[in-house]
Amino acid sequence: MPLNTARKPKLAVWKFASCDGCQLSLLDCEDALLAIADSIQIASFPEATRAVIRGPYEISLVEGSITSAHDAERIHKIRRLSKTLITIGACATSGGIQALKNFKDVNEFINIVYANPDYISSLQNSTPISDHVKVDFELRGCPINKNALVEVCNAYLNRRKPNIPTYSVCMECKRRGNICVMVSKGIPCLGPVTHAGCDAICPAYNRGCYSCFGPSEDPNIKSLSGQFEKTGMSKEELIRIYRGINANSEEFKNESIFHEQK
Amino acid sequence: MKKLTIAKNTKYIADKCSIDSLLTLLKEQKFKTVGPTVRDETIIYDELDSISDLPIGITDVHEAGSYRLKERNDKALFGYNVGPFSFKKYLFPPRLTILKTKRVDGKITIIKENDSVDKLALLGVKPCELQAILIQDKIFIEGEYIDNYYKEQRDNLLIVTTNCTEAGNSCFCTSTQSGPEAKSGFDIAITELIDDNGHNFLIEAGTKNGLTFLKKLPLSEPSDNDIETAVKKIKSASENMGRKLETKNLKELLLDNLNHPHWEDIAKRCLSCGNCTMVCPTCFCSNIEDVTSLTGEDNERIRTWDSCFSMEYSYIHGGTVRASIKSRYRQWMTHKLASWQEQFNTLGCVGCGRCIVWCPVGIDITEETKSLQEQVTAQAEQLAQAEN
Ligand code: SF4
Ligand code: SF4
Ligand code: SF4
Ligand code: SF4
């Protein structure tokens, strides 16, 4: 049915510096994917197929951060071909764990790690897609939650606002019936300043939140750091707690640098 | 032995076995029985099989931002105060599917939700929690709009209150007049008595429903000493509240000082995480979301607990009305302690102290009120002096 195919909206998935985990979340949506296979056309999806259908695309899902000059150019091309551009995962939305290099001199790493450093061309910083092009929606998480991804695609395909809350993990934590690890056990937890989306999975297993989803809508990080200090956290620990998967997000970056320079 | 005639609003003596029999009777009558039990070093409410599931000989120690369990030196069944979760979750669940629809051949049909609820018995409802249920009744069933789920569960509810004979460090129910003894609203009320005479309970029926259960329990007549001991213990709890809230002119204090610099001071500490509203037994805000499948065939309408600490809560066309933490904290506190009075003719706070204990940075509603009160008084005095 070539005619029909032509009218189906095209969805493309693009990969930049990342582990592919977020794309796998999309593959993991098996049932939902099958359900929409009738109404959309998957035009590019590196984890699933090598075939690429030419743009323009109704929706582009972008995974990964920008770490090379080549990628910094490629993202502009993708933007031009995409009606809606949605970034998925911590790499694409904040720079990812690889953004830890932003706090050091990248050439030092390259010289230590690679036998022939001359072949490596890497930018000093790992940056989110939104530093380079206009992004229509950022879906947080490391990895993203597959139901949230279906919800976002669904919302854009049906031209409505996605139901993705931006408040703290604590809200989900309490709704789930977890017992707060900060209050009941004195375990440091980033939940109060972290964007919801994981359904508070770490506190459910008696661990503090690591902030896989990055800063929440209006995080009061100074106050939480103060509380951590009160419960005996050292300067090094404080720097480290913010230097995780979302180390390069504006709020966490500023806070870790603040403690480093103190 | 003289046969006891059991009447409403009269106190009798029960022992541990009678309390266990009460649980058995409730189960025989197809009640789901929930009450306090220890999980993860915390006392939460969950289903109980027998009194051995209760937190026997365990109490809870509260500080602002801290909660720990401690062993008691007796075998009290109800010798604790309050844990993180109130009974609110049973009448007003954190997440509830309120509607399901299906689209077939372009026609949308509503699939009636099978909302039939269990008969539910709540055991160990502390007086402050009972007061919270009575407040939520006003919100969900006594107003113009009735919440169907709440009503159905409320109609199938049996409340067994346990009066407090010891107050916790974060309790202030004396200030809010919601404890430490329940005056009404319960089906059955219990006061635990542990002394040289043994381990007994004063038990009383508050409703006909409660009475039918009491009539089936092995009970005896209390001695004057039993009654006196209970009165003394409750009085001592009342006099030893860990915290205090001055409620006189509270509404005026808050509403007349909406621009006081103290709000900024709190905003520096408040994380806007929403924990205080989640644990508060009277907070009733929710969000409603429609979830559609990708094909649009199966749809659900879901209600989840929401909080005035979220930005989206006050989002209207064009932006968020309460964009600062200051304005969100102020909303929470002025609603609980001031505008609630205008809305429902009662305080929105029952003095349970949960918001103090479960705030990750230990912000204390009683301390913030006191601080504001003192600053406002001091400023008024200064002004008066300057005028003289
Ligand atoms: S465990 Fe963490 S996420 Fe959960 S309520 Fe406590 S601080 Fe918030
Ligand atoms: S405001 Fe705080 S102390 Fe008052 S009822 Fe709510 S949680 Fe309890
Ligand atoms: S304090 Fe906030 S969450 Fe609680 S009832 Fe009031 S507006 Fe709702
Ligand atoms: S008062 Fe405490 S619990 Fe409430 S929002 Fe602020 S930090 Fe969170």
Side-chain angles (χ1 to χ4, degrees):
Chain A
M1 304 169 283
L3 246 181
N4 192 15
T5 314
R7 259 190 274 119
K8 283 186 193 175
K10 288 182 206 159
L11 179 130
V13 185
W14 308 100
K15 178 186 155 58
F16 288 79
S18 61
C19 75
D20 284 26
C22 291
Q23 280 190 64
L24 290 177
S25 303
L26 181 58
L27 266 189
D28 205 21
C29 299
E30 298 150 345
D31 293 349
L33 264 187
L34 286 178
I36 51 165
D38 277 349
S39 43
I40 62 164
Q41 212 188 137
I42 310 252
S44 157
F45 190 175
E47 269 288 350
T49 165
R50 250 183 270 160
V52 177
I53 300 171
R54 288 216 293 169
Y57 311 101
E58 187 79 11
I59 296 181
S60 273
L61 299 176
V62 179
E63 175 199 78
S65 69
I66 304 293
T67 54
S68 70
H70 170 250
D71 276 355
E73 261 177 49
R74 189 160 62 99
I75 189 62
H76 282 280
K77 272 189 215 143
I78 292 171
R79 175 70 267 192
R80 280 197 295 275
L81 291 171
S82 314
K83 193 171 155 206
T84 304
L85 190 149
I86 298 166
T87 49
I88 59 172
C91 300
T93 57
S94 82
I97 191 77
Q98 59 273 30
L100 283 177
K101 72 171 184 171
N102 302 8
F103 301 92
K104 301 279 182 221
D105 179 2
V106 72
N107 289 317
E108 270 182 40
F109 294 129
I110 294 177
N111 287 325
I112 295 169
V113 175
Y114 297 97
N116 294 308
D118 296 350
Y119 292 125
I120 306 296
S121 106
S122 176
L123 297 173
Q124 163 59 44
N125 288 340
S126 167
T127 45
I129 302 297
S130 59
D131 277 11
H132 303 265
V133 295
K134 180 181 168 282
V135 170
D136 297 296
F137 191 84
E138 292 193 317
L139 183 62
R140 306 276 201 86
C142 181
I144 51 165
N145 173 303
K146 64 174 185 182
N147 299 326
L149 181 62
V150 172
E151 164 61 17
V152 172
C153 292
N154 191 349
Y156 276 93
L157 288 170
N158 290 305
R159 295 184 180 76
R160 64 167 171 83
K161 184 178 143 296
N163 285 324
I164 302 289
T166 55
Y167 46 59
S168 74
V169 172
C170 297
M171 298 266 288
E172 295 183 312
C173 197
K174 283 285 180 296
R175 287 201 298 243
R176 183 177 177 149
N178 290 346
I179 289 145
C180 177
V181 298
M182 280 266 277
V183 170
S184 74
K185 299 190 181 68
I187 298 173
C189 180
L190 287 175
V193 296
T194 297
H195 191 290
C198 64
D199 202 21
I201 188 159
C202 285
Y205 292 94
N206 264 323
R207 306 198 313 194
C209 162
Y210 295 97
S211 204
C212 306
F213 283 63
S216 53
E217 55 193 11
D218 187 18
N220 188 348
I221 299 184
K222 281 265 164 289
S223 170
L224 190 63
S225 294
Q227 186 68 16
F228 289 160
E229 276 172 328
K230 256 195 234 162
T231 50
M233 219 188 234
S234 68
K235 171 178 162 164
E236 286 66 36
E237 287 169 318
L238 266 170
I239 298 170
R240 179 159 292 192
I241 202 166
Y242 296 112
R243 294 236 169 119
I245 292 151
N246 286 289
N248 189 53
S249 66
E250 204 55 30
E251 292 92 340
F252 291 173
K253 182 173 73 188
N254 293 343
E255 189 66 6
S256 73
I257 292 175
F258 170 80
H259 289 285
E260 201 166 42
Q261 294 174 346
K262 222 163 56 176
Chain B
M1 204 172 80
K2 175 174 100 192
K3 190 162 177 340
L4 217 54
T5 9
I6 308 288
K8 240 173 65 179
N9 300 322
T10 313
K11 295 182 172 70
Y12 304 93
I13 284 281
D15 61 9
K16 263 197 267 185
C17 296
S18 326
I19 304 293
D20 210 23
S21 311
L22 174 61
L23 268 178
T24 314
L25 279 174
L26 285 164
K27 283 186 183 301
E28 277 170 15
Q29 296 293 316
K30 300 276 178 292
F31 275 92
K32 182 173 150 191
T33 42
V34 297
T37 190
V38 174
R39 197 187 79 200
D40 253 335
E41 296 160 57
T42 311
I43 296 170
I44 59 145
Y45 300 137
D46 209 343
E47 226 166 312
L48 303 175
D49 278 332
S50 73
I51 61 166
S52 62
D53 290 336
L54 292 169
I56 301 170
I58 294 181
T59 192
D60 42 3
V61 185
H62 301 163
E63 303 292 340
S66 159
Y67 174 100
R68 296 290 184 277
L69 292 187
K70 200 180 87 181
E71 265 182 45
R72 298 174 57 91
N73 49 20
D74 59 25
K75 294 272 173 248
L77 305 186
F78 303 105
Y80 59 91
N81 291 104
V82 285
F85 301 106
S86 63
F87 286 103
K88 170 168 96 170
K89 63 177 180 179
Y90 292 104
L91 289 157
F92 172 46
R95 187 185 159 91
L96 182 72
T97 303
I98 48 180
L99 188 73
K100 273 188 186 166
T101 66
K102 200 164 181 64
R103 191 171 65 190
V104 189
D105 300 331
K107 224 185 112 216
I108 292 176
T109 38
I110 292 175
I111 307 166
K112 178 127 177 55
E113 267 294 276
N114 185 15
D115 255 345
S116 72
V117 296
D118 291 324
K119 284 210 288 182
L120 187 65
L122 309 180
L123 181 70
V125 179
K126 299 280 176 175
C128 60
E129 295 223 48
L130 175 60
Q131 178 68 16
I133 294 174
L134 300 179
I135 289 176
Q136 287 216 323
D137 284 352
K138 288 186 186 238
I139 297 157
F140 287 118
I141 50 178
E142 286 166 18
E144 205 174 331
Y145 302 100
I146 291 183
D147 183 292
N148 290 335
Y149 185 89
Y150 188 101
K151 178 155 193 339
E152 207 177 325
Q153 188 64 82
R154 190 69 174 94
D155 289 343
N156 285 284
L157 195 71
L158 186 121
I159 297 178
V160 183
T161 284
T162 46
N163 291 319
C164 284
T165 50
E166 289 162 27
N169 185 34
S170 52
C171 297
F172 55 102
C173 63
T174 308
S175 308
T176 52
Q177 292 174 356
S178 43
E181 184 182 28
K183 303 280 187 236
S184 62
F186 52 81
D187 293 290
I188 296 172
I190 293 174
T191 310
E192 189 165 24
L193 301 173
I194 303 178
D195 57 17
D196 301 342
N197 299 329
H199 188 170
N200 289 309
F201 303 84
L202 271 189
I203 191 165
E204 160 185 4
T207 60
K208 240 168 80 186
N209 205 3
L211 189 63
T212 53
F213 283 95
L214 240 60
K215 281 188 171 158
K216 293 180 192 144
L217 295 177
L219 303 174
S220 58
E221 208 150 355
S223 67
D224 289 350
N225 184 47
D226 292 330
I227 303 276
E228 232 170 80
T229 313
V231 170
K232 259 197 226 150
K233 282 194 159 195
I234 290 167
K235 186 158 174 272
S236 145
S238 172
E239 287 164 356
N240 288 294
M241 288 286 142
R243 280 171 164 73
K244 188 173 178 289
L245 179 78
E246 180 54 76
T247 54
K248 205 171 139 231
N249 297 334
L250 186 52
K251 191 172 99 183
E252 293 72 20
L253 172 82
L254 293 170
L255 298 185
D256 292 350
N257 290 288
L258 292 175
N259 292 314
H260 196 279
H262 190 59
W263 299 114
E264 281 294 354
D265 178 64
I266 305 173
K268 286 200 190 103
R269 289 171 278 137
C270 174
L271 304 164
S272 199
C273 63
N275 270 307
C276 44
T277 55
M278 298 283 116
V279 295
C280 179
T282 66
C283 271
F284 57 87
C285 287
S286 62
N287 186 21
I288 288 178
E289 269 174 21
D290 285 339
V291 181
T292 57
S293 67
L294 273 169
T295 54
E297 271 164 23
D298 300 289
N299 306 297
E300 282 184 348
R301 179 161 290 178
I302 292 169
R303 185 185 73 182
T304 48
W305 285 355
D306 200 358
S307 164
C308 53
F309 280 99
S310 89
M311 304 262 278
E312 207 192 1
Y313 179 93
S314 67
Y315 185 92
I316 53 168
H317 176 78
T320 289
V321 176
R322 297 189 197 103
S324 65
I325 295 184
K326 170 184 140 180
S327 59
R328 294 197 290 277
Y329 185 90
R330 190 178 55 193
Q331 160 62 24
W332 139 260
M333 190 157 145
T334 53
H335 191 206
K336 299 265 86 164
L337 303 180
S339 47
W340 203 291
Q341 298 190 44
E342 289 171 357
Q343 205 178 355
F344 302 111
N345 213 8
T346 161
L347 274 176
C349 172
V350 297
C352 72
R354 280 190 181 87
C355 57
I356 305 170
V357 174
W358 297 94
C359 168
V361 290
I363 294 176
D364 179 339
I365 195 168
T366 64
E367 281 298 319
E368 299 312 335
T369 307
K370 200 167 130 216
S371 174
L372 183 67
Q373 250 152 3
E374 284 169 359
Q375 290 179 52
V376 169
T377 315
Q379 280 149 4
E381 276 167 12
Q382 264 177 10
L383 202 70
Q385 262 173 12
E387 275 171 7
N388 281 332

